[in-house]
Amino acid sequence: MRKRVGKRRTRLLAVLAVVGTLAGTGLAGAAPAGAVPAAGRVAPGVSYTEFDVPAAKGTAHAHLLTVDLRDPRVRVDLLHPGAVGARATVSSMADATGAVGGVNGDFFNITETQHPGIEATGAAVGPAVAGGRALKAAVPDGQRFGPALPPGTSTRDVLGVGLDRRARLDSMVLEGSVRTRADRVALGGLNQYALPVGSVGAFTPEWGSVSRARAVCGTDTQRAAPCSTDTYEVTVGRGRVVATADTPGSGPVADGTTVLVGRESGAQWLRKLSAGDPVQVRRRLVAAHTRVPYLFAVGGYPVLRDGAPLPGLDARTSAVRTAAGIADHGRTLLLLALDGAPAYRTGLSVAEVADTLRALGADDAFSLDGGGSSTLVAREPGAASVTLRNHPTDPPERAVANGIGVYARG
């Protein structure tokens, strides 16, 4: 086993050495204004490079952060704007938390043109864990934003780092319930912009102040379906019902309270509750493939498992993309974002992204949001703030739901 790990690590370092040698060739003037040299050390255990990727529809240009999770001075966590229902740029989130680098994260609720009068929440599609704390669960597959999912994947898929400091791919499901003295119902959502039909979902202070009305729009299979007219909302504080409403509300969820939103049969269940009734809400995110608790997790979808691309990956549609690779049995994290400058905007297909990360030494890889969201930032040694390393396709830098932040001491 040790020989295999050593060989994988040697191959990864060799590939990155070649990439570093090639970085920036033929790209004079291509880097964003103020960018540092094409390859080099960002912080202890963190390095940055950029390189060309020959592709079916033309040359793509990639920016890469390599994170050594063996280094005790390095950690990875979720970048987020302080609320699930909010957006901010990767640069601002990195600077606000002292990250030395990072990329954008999950796909998110970016628009609501199909539901006039309903506010887009900015909330991410999949599960999110920050600092070991579960922020949200996944929306139904049919409610996601982004390209079609590869066969066998779902909105519950995550990339995360556990307490053992290893990166891995997993799937996270919500387990929870709402219990009264006489009855109980399974919890169908946690801080989600879309709840399953007939369910009850919980909104906590982590949700933020954006309206909860989007949660009852669409169906499990059709994002554009009309909003439900059979809804109810109950606010629980200190274990008792403190308020009720016929429709989902907006504004901050007060500390120590939980807002329950129901649709269809879930709404009918909530209507049985009255002010003062005792209610117990329990919820947790459960990882499907490991018992190791997660310090950090972000949604997206897998494209590479155990060194093999997933069957059915799109090999035709090229675009600017962001992705993450896991190498060296979870000890190395590769964060990649393509450049959106006009010369490279054709980008890569999802299949080409998987091949690129495999060539860089990854055994597993995970696709994140792309297009105008694709962002990679890194701090120049000694600088007080990060620098945007790639060109956004739609400048200036887009505000996104979350990202992957890299932190280093020393």
Side-chain angles (χ1 to χ4, degrees), residues 16-366:
L16 291 178
V18 172
V19 167
T21 302
L22 296 175
T25 57
L27 294 172
V36 299
R41 178 179 183 269
V42 173
V46 185
S47 62
Y48 163 78
T49 190
E50 55 182 287
F51 55 96
D52 284 348
V53 182
K57 294 188 178 178
T59 299
H61 189 59
H63 301 257
L64 179 73
L65 283 172
T66 303
V67 184
D68 183 2
L69 295 174
R70 281 191 176 87
D71 194 319
R73 297 167 294 181
V74 175
R75 67 181 179 90
V76 178
D77 206 344
L78 189 76
L79 294 174
H80 64 100
V84 170
R87 295 166 56 188
T89 63
V90 174
S91 293
S92 65
M93 291 187 287
D95 286 342
T97 58
V100 299
V103 296
N104 63 289
D106 199 358
F107 303 86
F108 59 95
N109 176 207
I110 190 172
T111 181
E112 280 303 324
T113 55
Q114 296 146 326
H115 300 117
I118 297 297
E119 180 182 7
T121 66
V125 168
V129 176
R133 187 178 80 258
L135 298 182
K136 70 176 300 292
V139 302
D141 287 352
Q143 289 269 15
R144 70 183 297 274
F145 286 76
L149 288 170
T153 67
S154 80
T155 56
R156 298 180 295 279
D157 288 312
V158 297
L159 176 145
V161 174
L163 281 172
D164 58 356
R165 295 180 56 81
R166 289 179 184 266
R168 54 175 59 85
L169 303 186
D170 212 326
S171 180
M172 303 191 87
V173 297
L174 176 66
E175 288 188 356
S177 63
V178 182
R179 185 184 297 271
T180 67
R181 285 175 177 167
D183 201 2
R184 68 180 293 276
V185 66
L187 193 64
L190 173 63
N191 292 329
Q192 296 168 205
Y193 69 78
L195 295 173
V197 171
S199 72
V200 174
F203 291 82
T204 68
E206 284 82 8
W207 170 253
S209 59
V210 70
S211 173
R212 298 175 289 276
R214 175 59 183 84
V216 298
C217 297
T219 67
D220 299 357
T221 57
Q222 291 184 300
R223 192 181 74 201
C227 301
S228 175
T229 56
D230 186 3
T231 66
Y232 205 67
E233 181 173 280
V234 170
T235 302
V236 178
R238 296 185 178 180
R240 293 188 178 274
V241 174
V242 296
T244 62
D246 290 329
T247 57
S250 61
V253 177
D255 289 342
T257 66
T258 300
V259 175
L260 301 173
V261 174
R263 56 179 299 177
E264 297 87 35
S265 59
Q268 294 160 28
W269 192 90
L270 288 178
R271 286 193 189 97
K272 297 184 292 185
L273 302 178
S274 302
D277 285 351
V279 176
Q280 185 180 64
V281 183
R282 291 184 175 177
R283 81 269 180 176
R284 64 173 183 156
L285 286 181
V286 178
H289 304 302
T290 179
R291 294 182 181 275
V292 179
Y294 280 88
L295 291 170
F296 142 79
V298 67
Y301 59 89
V303 296
L304 187 71
R305 287 190 191 274
D306 298 324
L310 266 66
L313 292 183
D314 182 2
R316 295 184 177 184
T317 308
S318 295
V320 174
R321 302 184 189 276
T322 301
I326 300 171
D328 201 14
H329 295 276
R331 295 302 194 186
T332 301
L333 183 63
L334 306 171
L335 301 177
L336 180 142
L338 299 183
D339 203 286
Y344 311 107
R345 198 164 291 172
T346 51
L348 299 174
S349 69
V350 175
E352 288 171 330
V353 168
D355 288 340
T356 299
L357 284 164
R358 182 171 58 173
L360 289 169
D363 291 305
D364 302 303
F366 200 69

